[in-house]
Amino acid sequence: MSANQGIIKYGVGVWLFNQTGQVLMGLRLSNHGHNTWSAPGGKPELNEKFEDTAVREVFEETGIKINKSDLKYIATTDDIFSDSHYQTTHFRVNNIKAVPVVMEKNKCAEWRWFDLNKLPNNLFLSAQNLFKQKVFGV
């Protein structure tokens, strides 16, 4: 039995939109979701609320500072990978003017803004599951 079997983990995804309605996604380098595009995000630390995780992870990964008051809850996805199971809480932040920087070069190859109707095909599983819910109208 795998160490991950029987354990549901939690994740947070933060969908940042710029002033022209494009969404920010990074190309993952980590083993979990390698070579897929995903929103900034990660796992909550012990006793950390999801909103605090969102603020921390966006800054750690992109260098962009967001405020908890700007977070808008979107949806939660049930993401069953071959070796793990996550429930991911997704938030949206609008009108981002800052330029993202790759802060964790071992985890992310690049950050790129995408039009919602021109998303890459290789989306991370939680992103795929979120887009299936048509939360952004696409």
Side-chain angles (χ1 to χ4, degrees):
M1 179 186 276
S2 163
N4 286 327
Q5 285 183 319
I7 298 172
I8 298 174
K9 298 178 183 180
Y10 297 97
V12 171
V14 187
W15 298 86
L16 304 176
F17 284 82
N18 64 19
Q19 292 178 304
T20 61
Q22 293 176 311
V23 66
L24 182 68
M25 288 197 283
L27 185 59
R28 298 173 65 96
L29 293 176
S30 59
N31 288 336
H32 186 64
H34 182 77
N35 200 38
T36 59
W37 290 92
S38 179
K43 295 177 264 218
E45 295 175 354
L46 186 63
N47 298 321
E48 184 178 49
K49 294 182 179 186
F50 290 157
E51 293 86 352
D52 295 321
T53 302
V55 170
R56 176 181 54 79
E57 287 286 354
V58 167
F59 183 71
E60 287 177 359
E61 294 181 7
T62 70
I64 296 174
K65 292 182 182 180
I66 60 172
N67 296 313
K68 280 198 305 187
S69 61
D70 293 330
L71 292 168
K72 305 292 183 240
Y73 171 78
I74 302 172
T76 298
T77 55
D78 199 27
D79 308 316
I80 301 172
F81 296 86
S82 62
D83 63 346
S84 59
H85 182 177
Y86 281 84
Q87 289 188 337
T88 307
T89 299
H90 298 269
F91 296 98
R92 177 181 182 142
V93 179
N94 292 322
N95 298 315
I96 297 295
K97 298 173 188 163
V99 176
V101 175
V102 176
M103 304 292 284
E104 299 174 316
K105 297 185 186 318
N106 61 326
K107 295 181 181 178
C108 181
E110 67 173 296
W111 293 107
R112 191 183 304 174
W113 296 100
F114 289 95
D115 292 329
L116 285 173
N117 60 355
K118 294 180 184 173
L119 297 174
N121 290 328
N122 54 328
L123 294 176
F124 187 55
L125 181 60
S126 65
Q128 292 176 39
N129 290 339
L130 182 68
F131 281 100
K132 285 177 187 172
Q133 296 183 33
K134 306 282 186 199
V135 294
F136 302 125
V138 292

